Each structure stands twice: as C-alpha cells, then as structure tokens.
Amino acid sequence: MFAVGIRGVVALYWNIWIYALFLYVGAAFTAILGISAIARYRNTLVTIFLFICLSSALYIFGYGMEVTRTTIETVKTWSRIQYLGLPFIGSLVFIFVYFFIASGRKPGWAVLLLPLLISIILVVVRQTNHIHHLYYTELFFNDRSGFQAMTFGKGPWYWVLATYNMLCIVVPAVMVGQFLLRSPKAYRRQARYVLLGVLFPIVPYLIYISGVTSDGIDIMPAALVFSVFFFSIAILSHNLFSLAPIGRDVLVETMADAVFVLDEHHRIADANPAAREAFCSGEADPIGLSLEDAFPLINPSLKSGDRVTALDRIWQLSRIPLPKSGKSSPGSLIVAHDITETDRLMARLELLARLDSLTGLLNRHSWLEAVETELSRLSRKKREGSVIFVDLDHFKQFNDTHGHAAGDIALKRAAQVLKDGVRRPDLVGRQGGEEFVIFLPESEPFDAAAVAERLRADLETALTADEEINDSMTGSFGVYGRVIDDEVDLKGMVARADEAMFASKEAGRNRVTVWNKKVRD
C-alpha cells in the first residue's frame, strides 16, 4: 500500500511539472510570435496581435507558476499576476477580428475603448477581491504532493468575466464565419486560421468553468498557445493580409477618388466604394481577384498621369509603390482622381482664349492659326482659297450717335450675320475694332465675291428691326483668292483683301471689290 501511494504521489508530481513546463515554453513561444510579427510587419493589425501575445504570455506563464507553488501566499501572488493579462485577451481578440474583417479600417472610439474599459474594470474587481469578495467568494487550498492547489467559490463578477469571455469568442467567430461565406478564395484560407484561433479555446474554457476537470486544473492557458499559433499563421504566411491595412492607413472611405490596393501579383487587396462603383465589372466582391478581372478598365501597365474613362467621367491615375513588408514583394496603391470638371474647365478656358470675348468669333491669333492649317491642307492638293475682308462703314459715327452699348450690339449682330452666312468649314474671325476676316477654303475669288455680296445685303438689314437702334448698318468688303501652293503667304492674302476693301470705301462704301492689279496700283 505504501509503495502504491508513493507511485501515485510521484505520478501527480511529474504530471503537474510536465504541464507547467509546457506552459512556460508556450508562454515564451507566444511572446516570440508576437515580437516576430511586429518585427516583420508594422501596421495596426499586427500591433493588436502583439498585445494579444503579451497578455496571453503573462496569463500562461502566471498560471504555470501558480500550479507549481508550494505556499499559499505565492499561489495568491501568481493568481493576481496572471489576472493582469487574462481579462484583456478576449477584448483584444474581438478588436483583432474587427480589424481583420474591416480590412484595416480604423473603427470608432467605442469599438476600441469599450472592450478595453470592460477589461480594466474586471482587472480592478479581481485585484480588490479581498475587500469585497465579489469575484471569489472564498478560497480553498489543498496540499497536493507539496503543491498548493487553489479552488474557489465563484462570485457574481467571476460569471461576468466568464460571460464576457464567451461573448469575445462567439461574436468574433460569427463575424469571421460571415466573412468566410462572402470572401473570395484568396482570403478564405487565412480566414479559416483566424476562425480556428478564435474557436480553439471554447471547449477548454467551457470544461474549466463547469468545474469537471480533476483537481481544478485549468487547461485554458494551453489552449491559448494553439490559438495564438493559428493567428500567427494567418499573419506571417499571407501577404494579402498585410497589404490591406497598409493601404487603409491612407484611405478615407468617403473620398470621391477611386483607390485600389494591389499585391505584387496585381490582385486586389483592397478597394474603396468609389473604385467599386466606377470601375467594378460586376456585383461580386473584387477582393482577391486579379486587377484585369475585377476592374478591366484599369490596366496593370498604366502609369501615373495616364487617363481612363468610366461612368462618363475622366479619371487621372496616380500609382504609388507600397512599402516592402519583410520578405514580401511590395504592392502598389492606385488612386484615380476624377478630373472631369477640371478637364471641361480647361477646355472651356482654352476655347475662351481662342475666341473674341465680345462677338464669340475667332480672335486674330486663333484665326491665323486655323487658316494656316487649312492652307497646309489645300497646298497639298493645289486647291483655291479666298479671303474676305470686312469693315463696318462709319462705325465711329454710329458709336457717337447711338452710344458704345449700341456699338457693341452692332458688332455682335454683324458677327452673327457673317457667321450665319457662310459654310461650316469657313473660318470667321474678328481682326480688331470693326474689322472682320473670313477664309473660304476651296473657293475661287468670284464665288467668294458672291458670298460677300450676300453678306453685304444681310448686313444692311441686321439692325433695322431693333426698336432702340432702328438704323441701317453697312460694310465695305474686299475679296482676294488664289490657288494655294507652297509659296502662299497668308499675311499677303489678308493684305490684298484689305486693299480691295479700301477700294470699296473709296468707291462709296457698302460694296464688294475683288482684288486685281488695278486695285493695287
């Protein structure tokens, strides 16, 4: 009988030490995993994982020390030490899963502060239990082969912690489960590891709080070693997981710019709502898909400054390499900025720079540029072209009689008559003051003269219907035309049409003159 008793004591002694040694190694392993992760990846999610590891390591090591103590006071001391980490583990796991599901988006303060505040309250209640006995109603110590085994009566705050820990397992498990159902294949494997990490402690925890383990041994610390291990696999072995938070650090969910985060294989690691609305090829979640499949308009070879069109909008791209994380290749951040209104404004400003502000006709510089382009085309085919020069008659006298406001109206009406009376390819410009020029491509001088005669007649009646002005307006016209070749000089053509216009004035005004050598002489 004595020998049997000795063997039982020795067996119990070594079982406790083997379990304690496993916890010591597990605590060190857990702390090393957290430090390794933060050394490899520097982002919010991994920082949360580090705190999970440190809290778990404190709890695991503290419990290993508790079960191997030989005095009641040291057992109490290590029980208090481990409770500096235990109440925070559930809160940190919840926050960790929230960040994972949210792809690195920063949550509201309540998501961070409320769970941590609950944990702090639980720590305070546990550490002051000797005052109120609301956590442990009473403590019992049994000598177990030289070790002091602590059992206790469970107070109301013990069940608050137990309930809170269960919620911090069940709620994150449901969140990850829903994420698994809707996530693309590229993310399902790492999501499974996160789910395993969340669920692994649930059975050991239920066994412990139910009190069915022999001698009150808590197997929850051992389960946490495996739980942290599964979390670390999700972090350390999947590059997509590390890229999304990096991109999210520079993302604003409500920004109008479309933002894409790509991994090194041009797969979508993240995309904001503006990107999905403007560029997504379907309703499926693009995360994990290749860029070509998810957003066909965004070619991987596009560079900063390139433009694409989507939803009748013009988008200009900026491409930014993301920082390299550990041994993984860097991804990239693509920002598509909607420049539609800017582009339209620039086009409008460019148009305004080309037009005369009063009449809306081409200004002198723009008219010369446009005609030079036409001359280049006509010269290749040796076609004819003609210039009509127009000067309103007695315009200074008109201004003195009716006022400058009426003079502006007269200039606008004259411009409209000239513009309406020519073909679409013909180029009408304001030379300055009350002078106008028209270029008629592929028109010989006499055809141009017929056009000028029609314009002259229309000009006479342009202001007669105006009740305030009720006056006639006439103009003197000069026409010059020739075959356009490489030797043509636009300024020379305008000068000869101008000479013909002066001939019209000398002949009595309100008439059309075609340039010839007599006009020059």
Side-chain angles (χ1 to χ4, degrees):
M1 291 291 295
F2 179 76
V4 172
I6 292 295
R7 284 198 299 271
V9 169
V10 171
L12 180 60
Y13 179 87
W14 282 108
N15 284 343
I16 292 173
W17 268 113
I18 289 172
Y19 182 51
L21 287 173
F22 174 80
L23 294 181
Y24 299 151
V25 173
F29 175 70
T30 300
I32 290 171
L33 283 178
I35 294 169
S36 299
I38 201 69
R40 184 170 181 180
Y41 302 118
R42 295 296 178 91
N43 57 61
T44 305
L45 194 61
V46 179
T47 301
I48 299 169
F49 175 70
L50 172 64
F51 284 113
I52 291 176
C53 291
L54 296 179
S55 299
S56 299
L58 181 60
Y59 170 54
I60 295 166
F61 182 78
Y63 188 73
M65 293 297 289
E66 177 192 323
V67 297
T68 55
R69 296 308 90 194
T70 58
T71 67
I72 292 174
E73 288 306 315
T74 54
V75 170
K76 289 182 179 181
T77 298
W78 283 106
S79 176
R80 287 193 294 268
I81 290 174
Q82 65 184 279
Y83 268 86
L84 294 174
L86 174 59
F88 289 97
I89 297 171
S91 298
L92 291 169
V93 168
F94 171 77
I95 296 171
F96 176 85
V97 170
Y98 183 94
F99 266 76
F100 172 64
I101 299 303
S103 297
R105 286 192 299 270
K106 294 181 179 180
W109 282 106
V111 177
L112 285 172
L113 294 182
L114 184 59
L116 296 176
L117 180 61
I118 293 172
S119 298
I120 291 171
I121 293 172
L122 290 168
V123 169
V124 171
V125 171
R126 168 61 186 88
Q127 302 300 354
T128 58
N129 184 73
H130 61 284
I131 299 173
H132 48 71
H133 302 289
L134 293 175
Y135 193 86
Y136 296 144
T137 57
E138 51 187 336
L139 297 176
F140 306 98
F141 294 91
N142 300 315
D143 189 295
R144 187 173 52 194
S145 305
F147 301 117
Q148 293 296 326
M150 184 179 79
T151 55
F152 47 84
K154 298 168 182 175
W157 277 91
Y158 176 88
W159 291 112
V160 171
L161 176 61
T163 303
Y164 180 66
N165 282 338
M166 286 302 300
L167 286 174
C168 289
I169 293 174
V170 173
V171 174
V174 172
M175 292 168 63
V176 179
Q178 291 177 340
F179 179 79
L180 264 172
L181 293 176
R182 61 180 173 82
S183 63
K185 292 181 180 179
Y187 280 93
R188 289 177 187 169
R189 186 179 177 189
Q190 67 186 149
R192 290 190 191 102
Y193 280 116
V194 173
L195 185 60
L196 278 173
V198 172
L199 290 178
F200 199 86
I202 192 167
V203 173
Y205 192 61
L206 288 173
I207 291 174
Y208 176 67
I209 63 175
S210 65
V212 299
T213 54
S214 60
D215 299 312
I217 295 294
D218 187 358
I219 56 176
M220 182 70 172
L224 277 177
V225 176
F226 293 98
S227 183
V228 170
F229 177 68
F230 289 132
F231 287 152
S232 69
I233 292 176
I235 288 179
L236 298 175
S237 62
H238 296 279
N239 291 334
L240 283 173
F241 193 59
S242 63
L243 284 176
I246 295 173
R248 281 290 180 188
D249 287 340
V250 293
L251 257 189
V252 178
E253 273 294 283
T254 57
M255 69 190 302
D257 290 348
V259 183
F260 313 83
V261 183
L262 308 182
D263 70 358
E264 68 274 21
H265 302 296
H266 302 301
R267 292 178 300 181
I268 303 295
D270 204 2
N272 73 339
R276 299 177 191 226
E277 181 181 351
F279 297 97
C280 193
S281 59
E283 296 182 358
D285 192 340
I287 305 301
L289 300 179
S290 68
L291 182 61
E292 296 93 331
D293 292 338
F295 304 106
L297 292 175
I298 308 296
N299 192 298
S301 63
L302 289 173
K303 302 180 293 297
S304 291
D306 289 345
R307 296 184 176 192
V308 294
T309 301
L311 293 181
D312 296 324
R313 311 293 290 177
I314 302 170
W315 304 79
Q316 188 170 45
L317 302 183
S318 295
R319 192 161 191 153
I320 308 164
L322 290 176
K324 185 175 181 180
S325 299
K327 296 181 180 179
S328 65
S329 300
S332 58
L333 183 71
I334 296 178
V335 180
H337 181 59
D338 185 352
I339 61 168
T340 308
E341 297 306 322
T342 303
D343 204 59
R344 289 173 180 170
L345 177 60
M346 293 301 295
R348 176 67 177 162
L349 291 174
E350 183 179 347
L351 179 63
L352 290 174
R354 297 178 63 241
L355 300 181
D356 175 63
S357 59
L358 178 64
T359 64
L361 299 178
L362 292 171
N363 59 34
R364 179 173 182 173
H365 178 74
S366 299
W367 184 84
L368 290 171
E369 278 190 344
V371 175
E372 287 286 4
T373 301
E374 276 296 307
L375 292 178
S376 177
R377 180 183 68 84
L378 294 171
S379 67
R380 291 194 295 269
K381 300 178 180 180
K382 300 296 188 292
R383 299 290 180 87
E384 289 190 287
S386 296
V387 174
I388 301 175
F389 200 106
V390 186
D391 184 273
L392 301 183
D393 296 329
H394 303 297
F395 189 73
K396 184 179 182 302
Q397 182 180 337
F398 184 93
N399 264 342
D400 293 340
T401 303
H402 299 285
H404 288 285
D408 288 345
I409 293 174
L411 289 172
K412 291 178 182 179
R413 295 283 176 83
Q416 195 63 46
V417 166
L418 299 178
K419 190 174 181 180
D420 292 343
V422 296
R423 303 165 301 175
R424 184 180 295 272
D426 299 337
L427 299 169
V428 184
R430 185 182 180 191
Q431 184 79 349
E434 66 271 22
E435 296 179 337
F436 301 88
V437 283
I438 307 171
F439 180 75
L440 288 74
E442 303 194 30
S443 293
E444 61 182 11
F446 291 102
D447 289 337
V451 172
E453 181 60 35
R454 188 175 67 250
L455 293 175
R456 185 200 62 77
D458 291 341
L459 197 61
E460 275 189 300
T461 60
L463 292 176
T464 56
D466 192 297
E467 294 181 358
E468 294 184 7
I469 300 175
N470 191 22
D471 198 354
S472 62
M473 177 171 55
T474 63
S476 298
F477 289 73
V479 178
Y480 174 78
R482 59 164 291 175
V483 174
I484 307 302
D485 53 27
D486 294 336
E487 297 180 359
V488 71
D489 175 24
L490 176 57
K491 290 183 179 180
M493 292 183 69
V494 173
R496 290 185 175 184
D498 188 24
E499 290 175 2
M501 181 273 297
F502 270 107
S504 293
K505 284 187 176 295
E506 291 175 355
R509 293 185 170 84
N510 191 23
R511 66 187 64 231
V512 176
T513 302
V514 178
W515 186 92
N516 55 45
K517 291 185 178 180
K518 291 183 179 180
V519 169
R520 184 180 62 184
D521 297 337

